[in-house]
Amino acid sequence: MQNKHIGFIGLGQMGAPMARILMKSGYQITGFDANTCTDSDISMAESTHQIAKQSDIVITMLPDGAAVSLVANEIIPLMRDGSILIDCSTIDVKTAQTVGTYAHSSGIGFLDAPVSGGITGAAAGSLTFMIGGDAHILQQVLPLFETMGNKAVHCGAIGTGQIAKICNNMILGATMIATCEAFDMADKLGLDRQSMFDVVSTSSGYSWSMNAYCPAPGIGPDSPADHGYKPGFSADLMLKDLGLAIEAAQMAGADPRIGQCAREIYAAFVETSGKGMDFSAILPWLNANKC
Ligand code: NAD
């Protein structure tokens, strides 16, 4: 596997540390990013075309479906027969399926493999991958996922990785809002935050939002709340993921009302004061009755 040439397109907050982990594990990595001001320790190509021609495997980590479509249309026609494209971006299900079909018809293997674990997980090589695509393609590139992450779950056909991701993040958005609403309510009713944490984190209201990523500063394990709500996982990205979830739900005839409500709350938060803040900063926003 180490003798395979890997191209990495999209060296932003997530892509750069992921590429670096692969490089440190002995993989030959060539990177490309539309923004030229990226990490100098990764050897850079001049274009996506160069990456397509010289790579056995191309990994993309891009902001949205439009960027993934654009890059896929640039590289797929130039990629070698039998090479593999892995898209780790969080994008809409339809684009993942369209890119997958195009890759397949061009003799290229395709996996949609969005991640959970954020910037810290990317730097530590402890991401969780949720993967859609053929099992035999996944088998060929499994060591890459094992290097960049702790867990790789094969979810099914192309697009199911993205479905798993938006389901997970819809739960996360909704539970973070519920956790923040409970802290705000407890504050206003006169229950101190430490008591609230001690009870809920060991009772049936526990969740990842409360136990691992507590939105109240100074309570629970270290989290963005302890660092002025610097992300972490930004409210903007949560809004993006909730938008993808609602769009996919509507396409499938599902009606996730709590998810829709969470999307509306994050839209209002980002529009008023949440842009660039961690998604847990909903708590001070609620506290100040700004919603
Ligand atoms: P980012 O904006 O930091 O990085 C994206 C990179 O892609 C940028 O460097 C940009 O210049 C580059 N890019 C955009 N269009 C391009 C193109 N056409 N050709 C080449 N490069 C191009 O974003 P990020 O935080 O690294 O997130 C990447 C993806 O991972 C997103 O889909 C996001 O939803 C998802 N994600 C992010 C996090 C997180 O905590 N940041 C967590 C999980 C998943």
mmCIF file of all heavy atoms in Angstrom, residues 52-92:
data_model
loop_
_atom_site.group_PDB
_atom_site.id
_atom_site.type_symbol
_atom_site.label_atom_id
_atom_site.label_comp_id
_atom_site.label_asym_id
_atom_site.label_seq_id
_atom_site.Cartn_x
_atom_site.Cartn_y
_atom_site.Cartn_z
ATOM 1 N N ALA A 52 -4.461 14.042 -10.877
ATOM 2 C CA ALA A 52 -5.253 12.963 -11.503
ATOM 3 C C ALA A 52 -4.355 11.998 -12.260
ATOM 4 O O ALA A 52 -4.523 10.780 -12.168
ATOM 5 C CB ALA A 52 -6.287 13.568 -12.440
ATOM 6 N N LYS A 53 -3.388 12.559 -12.994
ATOM 7 C CA LYS A 53 -2.553 11.714 -13.860
ATOM 8 C C LYS A 53 -1.573 10.873 -13.080
ATOM 9 O O LYS A 53 -1.258 9.750 -13.479
ATOM 10 C CB LYS A 53 -1.780 12.607 -14.857
ATOM 11 C CG LYS A 53 -2.663 13.157 -15.973
ATOM 12 C CD LYS A 53 -1.828 14.023 -16.895
ATOM 13 C CE LYS A 53 -2.697 14.817 -17.836
ATOM 14 N NZ LYS A 53 -2.019 15.987 -18.376
ATOM 15 N N GLN A 54 -1.070 11.396 -11.956
ATOM 16 C CA GLN A 54 0.028 10.680 -11.293
ATOM 17 C C GLN A 54 -0.415 9.829 -10.091
ATOM 18 O O GLN A 54 0.400 9.116 -9.519
ATOM 19 C CB GLN A 54 1.122 11.666 -10.867
ATOM 20 C CG GLN A 54 0.745 12.547 -9.685
ATOM 21 C CD GLN A 54 1.846 13.547 -9.339
ATOM 22 O OE1 GLN A 54 2.569 14.026 -10.206
ATOM 23 N NE2 GLN A 54 1.975 13.857 -8.068
ATOM 24 N N SER A 55 -1.722 9.865 -9.742
ATOM 25 C CA SER A 55 -2.119 9.186 -8.495
ATOM 26 C C SER A 55 -2.814 7.852 -8.727
ATOM 27 O O SER A 55 -3.570 7.684 -9.675
ATOM 28 C CB SER A 55 -3.068 10.085 -7.696
ATOM 29 O OG SER A 55 -2.500 11.353 -7.502
ATOM 30 N N ASP A 56 -2.561 6.916 -7.802
ATOM 31 C CA ASP A 56 -3.324 5.662 -7.782
ATOM 32 C C ASP A 56 -4.629 5.880 -7.010
ATOM 33 O O ASP A 56 -5.644 5.251 -7.289
ATOM 34 C CB ASP A 56 -2.511 4.569 -7.069
ATOM 35 C CG ASP A 56 -1.167 4.348 -7.759
ATOM 36 O OD1 ASP A 56 -1.178 3.953 -8.926
ATOM 37 O OD2 ASP A 56 -0.121 4.622 -7.120
ATOM 38 N N ILE A 57 -4.533 6.765 -6.014
ATOM 39 C CA ILE A 57 -5.702 7.060 -5.176
ATOM 40 C C ILE A 57 -5.763 8.579 -5.003
ATOM 41 O O ILE A 57 -4.742 9.211 -4.724
ATOM 42 C CB ILE A 57 -5.557 6.404 -3.783
ATOM 43 C CG1 ILE A 57 -5.504 4.872 -3.943
ATOM 44 C CG2 ILE A 57 -6.699 6.800 -2.853
ATOM 45 C CD1 ILE A 57 -4.846 4.161 -2.788
ATOM 46 N N VAL A 58 -6.961 9.159 -5.189
ATOM 47 C CA VAL A 58 -7.121 10.591 -4.935
ATOM 48 C C VAL A 58 -8.120 10.760 -3.795
ATOM 49 O O VAL A 58 -9.197 10.158 -3.802
ATOM 50 C CB VAL A 58 -7.634 11.352 -6.182
ATOM 51 C CG1 VAL A 58 -7.836 12.833 -5.857
ATOM 52 C CG2 VAL A 58 -6.675 11.199 -7.359
ATOM 53 N N ILE A 59 -7.728 11.564 -2.799
ATOM 54 C CA ILE A 59 -8.638 11.880 -1.685
ATOM 55 C C ILE A 59 -9.024 13.352 -1.817
ATOM 56 O O ILE A 59 -8.159 14.208 -2.047
ATOM 57 C CB ILE A 59 -7.952 11.650 -0.322
ATOM 58 C CG1 ILE A 59 -7.476 10.199 -0.205
ATOM 59 C CG2 ILE A 59 -8.893 12.005 0.826
ATOM 60 C CD1 ILE A 59 -6.672 9.887 1.055
ATOM 61 N N THR A 60 -10.327 13.655 -1.700
ATOM 62 C CA THR A 60 -10.756 15.046 -1.715
ATOM 63 C C THR A 60 -11.355 15.407 -0.356
ATOM 64 O O THR A 60 -12.051 14.592 0.262
ATOM 65 C CB THR A 60 -11.803 15.299 -2.827
ATOM 66 O OG1 THR A 60 -12.807 14.279 -2.759
ATOM 67 C CG2 THR A 60 -11.179 15.263 -4.203
ATOM 68 N N MET A 61 -11.066 16.631 0.118
ATOM 69 C CA MET A 61 -11.630 17.128 1.382
ATOM 70 C C MET A 61 -12.001 18.587 1.136
ATOM 71 O O MET A 61 -11.232 19.506 1.429
ATOM 72 C CB MET A 61 -10.591 16.974 2.505
ATOM 73 C CG MET A 61 -11.166 17.177 3.896
ATOM 74 S SD MET A 61 -12.644 16.172 4.148
ATOM 75 C CE MET A 61 -12.851 16.188 5.892
ATOM 76 N N LEU A 62 -13.186 18.786 0.579
ATOM 77 C CA LEU A 62 -13.591 20.077 0.028
ATOM 78 C C LEU A 62 -14.810 20.638 0.764
ATOM 79 O O LEU A 62 -15.511 19.900 1.447
ATOM 80 C CB LEU A 62 -13.884 19.900 -1.467
ATOM 81 C CG LEU A 62 -12.640 19.517 -2.293
ATOM 82 C CD1 LEU A 62 -13.015 18.922 -3.652
ATOM 83 C CD2 LEU A 62 -11.723 20.720 -2.463
ATOM 84 N N PRO A 63 -15.077 21.949 0.590
ATOM 85 C CA PRO A 63 -16.128 22.561 1.406
ATOM 86 C C PRO A 63 -17.550 22.070 1.133
ATOM 87 O O PRO A 63 -18.343 21.962 2.063
ATOM 88 C CB PRO A 63 -16.019 24.059 1.094
ATOM 89 C CG PRO A 63 -15.049 24.217 0.008
ATOM 90 C CD PRO A 63 -14.318 22.935 -0.180
ATOM 91 N N ASP A 64 -17.896 21.812 -0.133
ATOM 92 C CA ASP A 64 -19.304 21.483 -0.420
ATOM 93 C C ASP A 64 -19.451 20.687 -1.717
ATOM 94 O O ASP A 64 -18.474 20.413 -2.419
ATOM 95 C CB ASP A 64 -20.140 22.779 -0.500
ATOM 96 C CG ASP A 64 -19.521 23.793 -1.452
ATOM 97 O OD1 ASP A 64 -18.879 23.381 -2.435
ATOM 98 O OD2 ASP A 64 -19.669 25.002 -1.204
ATOM 99 N N GLY A 65 -20.697 20.360 -2.028
ATOM 100 C CA GLY A 65 -20.991 19.534 -3.197
ATOM 101 C C GLY A 65 -20.560 20.187 -4.503
ATOM 102 O O GLY A 65 -20.103 19.493 -5.426
ATOM 103 N N ALA A 66 -20.693 21.510 -4.584
ATOM 104 C CA ALA A 66 -20.314 22.208 -5.818
ATOM 105 C C ALA A 66 -18.812 22.040 -6.072
ATOM 106 O O ALA A 66 -18.384 21.760 -7.207
ATOM 107 C CB ALA A 66 -20.677 23.694 -5.718
ATOM 108 N N ALA A 67 -18.002 22.183 -5.023
ATOM 109 C CA ALA A 67 -16.540 22.034 -5.168
ATOM 110 C C ALA A 67 -16.190 20.589 -5.524
ATOM 111 O O ALA A 67 -15.311 20.333 -6.363
ATOM 112 C CB ALA A 67 -15.835 22.466 -3.883
ATOM 113 N N VAL A 68 -16.891 19.638 -4.917
ATOM 114 C CA VAL A 68 -16.602 18.217 -5.206
ATOM 115 C C VAL A 68 -16.955 17.897 -6.660
ATOM 116 O O VAL A 68 -16.182 17.254 -7.380
ATOM 117 C CB VAL A 68 -17.356 17.282 -4.224
ATOM 118 C CG1 VAL A 68 -17.232 15.821 -4.650
ATOM 119 C CG2 VAL A 68 -16.809 17.455 -2.809
ATOM 120 N N SER A 69 -18.104 18.390 -7.131
ATOM 121 C CA SER A 69 -18.510 18.169 -8.533
ATOM 122 C C SER A 69 -17.480 18.746 -9.488
ATOM 123 O O SER A 69 -17.070 18.101 -10.457
ATOM 124 C CB SER A 69 -19.811 18.916 -8.820
ATOM 125 O OG SER A 69 -20.872 18.088 -8.632
ATOM 126 N N LEU A 70 -17.074 19.986 -9.193
ATOM 127 C CA LEU A 70 -16.104 20.679 -10.050
ATOM 128 C C LEU A 70 -14.800 19.880 -10.153
ATOM 129 O O LEU A 70 -14.315 19.583 -11.248
ATOM 130 C CB LEU A 70 -15.832 22.065 -9.455
ATOM 131 C CG LEU A 70 -14.912 22.981 -10.246
ATOM 132 C CD1 LEU A 70 -15.722 23.698 -11.326
ATOM 133 C CD2 LEU A 70 -14.270 24.025 -9.336
ATOM 134 N N VAL A 71 -14.267 19.504 -8.997
ATOM 135 C CA VAL A 71 -12.995 18.781 -8.966
ATOM 136 C C VAL A 71 -13.150 17.400 -9.609
ATOM 137 O O VAL A 71 -12.309 16.964 -10.399
ATOM 138 C CB VAL A 71 -12.451 18.685 -7.517
ATOM 139 C CG1 VAL A 71 -11.295 17.708 -7.428
ATOM 140 C CG2 VAL A 71 -12.019 20.063 -7.021
ATOM 141 N N ALA A 72 -14.265 16.719 -9.307
ATOM 142 C CA ALA A 72 -14.477 15.375 -9.875
ATOM 143 C C ALA A 72 -14.521 15.457 -11.405
ATOM 144 O O ALA A 72 -13.936 14.610 -12.093
ATOM 145 C CB ALA A 72 -15.768 14.776 -9.330
ATOM 146 N N ASN A 73 -15.198 16.482 -11.932
ATOM 147 C CA ASN A 73 -15.278 16.610 -13.394
ATOM 148 C C ASN A 73 -13.919 16.932 -14.009
ATOM 149 O O ASN A 73 -13.657 16.582 -15.158
ATOM 150 C CB ASN A 73 -16.302 17.683 -13.781
ATOM 151 C CG ASN A 73 -17.719 17.194 -13.526
ATOM 152 O OD1 ASN A 73 -17.979 15.989 -13.552
ATOM 153 N ND2 ASN A 73 -18.624 18.109 -13.229
ATOM 154 N N GLU A 74 -13.049 17.582 -13.227
ATOM 155 C CA GLU A 74 -11.692 17.868 -13.724
ATOM 156 C C GLU A 74 -10.826 16.614 -13.725
ATOM 157 O O GLU A 74 -10.038 16.391 -14.641
ATOM 158 C CB GLU A 74 -11.014 18.925 -12.829
ATOM 159 C CG GLU A 74 -11.490 20.355 -13.069
ATOM 160 C CD GLU A 74 -10.966 21.322 -11.996
ATOM 161 O OE1 GLU A 74 -10.119 20.929 -11.167
ATOM 162 O OE2 GLU A 74 -11.428 22.469 -11.994
ATOM 163 N N ILE A 75 -10.952 15.799 -12.670
ATOM 164 C CA ILE A 75 -9.970 14.719 -12.517
ATOM 165 C C ILE A 75 -10.402 13.369 -13.084
ATOM 166 O O ILE A 75 -9.567 12.621 -13.586
ATOM 167 C CB ILE A 75 -9.515 14.554 -11.036
ATOM 168 C CG1 ILE A 75 -10.688 14.165 -10.121
ATOM 169 C CG2 ILE A 75 -8.835 15.813 -10.538
ATOM 170 C CD1 ILE A 75 -10.253 13.850 -8.685
ATOM 171 N N ILE A 76 -11.692 13.039 -12.993
ATOM 172 C CA ILE A 76 -12.112 11.681 -13.385
ATOM 173 C C ILE A 76 -11.694 11.336 -14.820
ATOM 174 O O ILE A 76 -11.165 10.245 -15.060
ATOM 175 C CB ILE A 76 -13.628 11.461 -13.119
ATOM 176 C CG1 ILE A 76 -13.855 11.364 -11.605
ATOM 177 C CG2 ILE A 76 -14.155 10.196 -13.826
ATOM 178 C CD1 ILE A 76 -15.309 11.297 -11.162
ATOM 179 N N PRO A 77 -11.864 12.263 -15.799
ATOM 180 C CA PRO A 77 -11.479 11.886 -17.164
ATOM 181 C C PRO A 77 -9.985 11.590 -17.312
ATOM 182 O O PRO A 77 -9.575 10.915 -18.252
ATOM 183 C CB PRO A 77 -11.847 13.126 -17.993
ATOM 184 C CG PRO A 77 -12.780 13.916 -17.150
ATOM 185 C CD PRO A 77 -12.448 13.602 -15.728
ATOM 186 N N LEU A 78 -9.171 12.100 -16.357
ATOM 187 C CA LEU A 78 -7.712 11.929 -16.487
ATOM 188 C C LEU A 78 -7.159 10.833 -15.580
ATOM 189 O O LEU A 78 -5.984 10.480 -15.662
ATOM 190 C CB LEU A 78 -7.008 13.254 -16.138
ATOM 191 C CG LEU A 78 -7.362 14.450 -17.026
ATOM 192 C CD1 LEU A 78 -6.728 15.718 -16.483
ATOM 193 C CD2 LEU A 78 -6.895 14.197 -18.454
ATOM 194 N N MET A 79 -7.996 10.324 -14.693
ATOM 195 C CA MET A 79 -7.482 9.310 -13.758
ATOM 196 C C MET A 79 -7.281 7.980 -14.469
ATOM 197 O O MET A 79 -7.980 7.656 -15.428
ATOM 198 C CB MET A 79 -8.452 9.143 -12.566
ATOM 199 C CG MET A 79 -8.391 10.320 -11.598
ATOM 200 S SD MET A 79 -9.607 10.212 -10.261
ATOM 201 C CE MET A 79 -8.934 8.914 -9.231
ATOM 202 N N ARG A 80 -6.269 7.214 -13.962
ATOM 203 C CA ARG A 80 -5.953 5.922 -14.591
ATOM 204 C C ARG A 80 -7.079 4.919 -14.351
ATOM 205 O O ARG A 80 -7.712 4.943 -13.288
ATOM 206 C CB ARG A 80 -4.692 5.344 -13.980
ATOM 207 C CG ARG A 80 -3.489 6.221 -14.139
ATOM 208 C CD ARG A 80 -2.330 5.527 -13.407
ATOM 209 N NE ARG A 80 -1.294 6.476 -13.109
ATOM 210 C CZ ARG A 80 -0.503 6.415 -12.050
ATOM 211 N NH1 ARG A 80 -0.613 5.421 -11.182
ATOM 212 N NH2 ARG A 80 0.430 7.307 -11.862
ATOM 213 N N ASP A 81 -7.241 4.009 -15.309
ATOM 214 C CA ASP A 81 -8.192 2.915 -15.154
ATOM 215 C C ASP A 81 -7.878 2.155 -13.862
ATOM 216 O O ASP A 81 -6.706 1.857 -13.607
ATOM 217 C CB ASP A 81 -8.007 1.949 -16.340
ATOM 218 C CG ASP A 81 -9.335 1.593 -16.943
ATOM 219 O OD1 ASP A 81 -10.290 2.370 -16.741
ATOM 220 O OD2 ASP A 81 -9.411 0.537 -17.590
ATOM 221 N N GLY A 82 -8.882 1.892 -13.059
ATOM 222 C CA GLY A 82 -8.659 1.102 -11.841
ATOM 223 C C GLY A 82 -8.189 1.922 -10.650
ATOM 224 O O GLY A 82 -8.023 1.383 -9.554
ATOM 225 N N SER A 83 -7.973 3.236 -10.846
ATOM 226 C CA SER A 83 -7.584 4.051 -9.685
ATOM 227 C C SER A 83 -8.853 4.368 -8.865
ATOM 228 O O SER A 83 -9.971 4.061 -9.290
ATOM 229 C CB SER A 83 -6.848 5.311 -10.129
ATOM 230 O OG SER A 83 -7.632 6.024 -11.050
ATOM 231 N N ILE A 84 -8.640 4.953 -7.703
ATOM 232 C CA ILE A 84 -9.765 5.122 -6.753
ATOM 233 C C ILE A 84 -9.871 6.573 -6.291
ATOM 234 O O ILE A 84 -8.866 7.210 -5.965
ATOM 235 C CB ILE A 84 -9.566 4.184 -5.536
ATOM 236 C CG1 ILE A 84 -9.617 2.711 -5.997
ATOM 237 C CG2 ILE A 84 -10.623 4.436 -4.458
ATOM 238 C CD1 ILE A 84 -9.268 1.696 -4.917
ATOM 239 N N LEU A 85 -11.108 7.071 -6.275
ATOM 240 C CA LEU A 85 -11.393 8.411 -5.751
ATOM 241 C C LEU A 85 -12.163 8.269 -4.440
ATOM 242 O O LEU A 85 -13.199 7.600 -4.390
ATOM 243 C CB LEU A 85 -12.230 9.195 -6.786
ATOM 244 C CG LEU A 85 -12.799 10.550 -6.364
ATOM 245 C CD1 LEU A 85 -11.699 11.535 -5.949
ATOM 246 C CD2 LEU A 85 -13.640 11.161 -7.500
ATOM 247 N N ILE A 86 -11.633 8.893 -3.373
ATOM 248 C CA ILE A 86 -12.300 8.865 -2.060
ATOM 249 C C ILE A 86 -12.677 10.295 -1.701
ATOM 250 O O ILE A 86 -11.794 11.145 -1.559
ATOM 251 C CB ILE A 86 -11.350 8.322 -0.962
ATOM 252 C CG1 ILE A 86 -10.794 6.940 -1.341
ATOM 253 C CG2 ILE A 86 -12.060 8.274 0.375
ATOM 254 C CD1 ILE A 86 -9.683 6.459 -0.401
ATOM 255 N N ASP A 87 -13.968 10.559 -1.559
ATOM 256 C CA ASP A 87 -14.375 11.907 -1.160
ATOM 257 C C ASP A 87 -14.728 11.912 0.320
ATOM 258 O O ASP A 87 -15.700 11.287 0.745
ATOM 259 C CB ASP A 87 -15.571 12.392 -1.993
ATOM 260 C CG ASP A 87 -15.991 13.785 -1.550
ATOM 261 O OD1 ASP A 87 -15.092 14.604 -1.235
ATOM 262 O OD2 ASP A 87 -17.208 14.063 -1.467
ATOM 263 N N CYS A 88 -13.945 12.659 1.113
ATOM 264 C CA CYS A 88 -14.172 12.725 2.565
ATOM 265 C C CYS A 88 -14.967 13.966 2.976
ATOM 266 O O CYS A 88 -15.252 14.159 4.161
ATOM 267 C CB CYS A 88 -12.836 12.714 3.308
ATOM 268 S SG CYS A 88 -11.945 11.161 3.106
ATOM 269 N N SER A 89 -15.312 14.830 2.019
ATOM 270 C CA SER A 89 -16.078 16.040 2.329
ATOM 271 C C SER A 89 -17.480 15.673 2.817
ATOM 272 O O SER A 89 -17.963 14.583 2.536
ATOM 273 C CB SER A 89 -16.243 16.895 1.065
ATOM 274 O OG SER A 89 -15.164 16.746 0.171
ATOM 275 N N THR A 90 -18.123 16.619 3.519
ATOM 276 C CA THR A 90 -19.543 16.443 3.838
ATOM 277 C C THR A 90 -20.335 17.158 2.759
ATOM 278 O O THR A 90 -20.246 18.389 2.636
ATOM 279 C CB THR A 90 -19.873 17.066 5.213
ATOM 280 O OG1 THR A 90 -19.017 16.497 6.194
ATOM 281 C CG2 THR A 90 -21.322 16.807 5.587
ATOM 282 N N ILE A 91 -21.079 16.403 1.967
ATOM 283 C CA ILE A 91 -21.827 17.008 0.848
ATOM 284 C C ILE A 91 -23.213 16.374 0.754
ATOM 285 O O ILE A 91 -23.523 15.429 1.473
ATOM 286 C CB ILE A 91 -21.067 16.843 -0.498
ATOM 287 C CG1 ILE A 91 -20.924 15.364 -0.874
ATOM 288 C CG2 ILE A 91 -19.702 17.522 -0.440
ATOM 289 C CD1 ILE A 91 -20.477 15.146 -2.311
ATOM 290 N N ASP A 92 -24.027 16.881 -0.182
ATOM 291 C CA ASP A 92 -25.372 16.328 -0.358
ATOM 292 C C ASP A 92 -25.295 14.926 -0.969
ATOM 293 O O ASP A 92 -24.386 14.609 -1.738
ATOM 294 C CB ASP A 92 -26.225 17.260 -1.225
ATOM 295 C CG ASP A 92 -25.601 17.488 -2.591
ATOM 296 O OD1 ASP A 92 -24.586 18.193 -2.672
ATOM 297 O OD2 ASP A 92 -26.113 16.914 -3.575
#
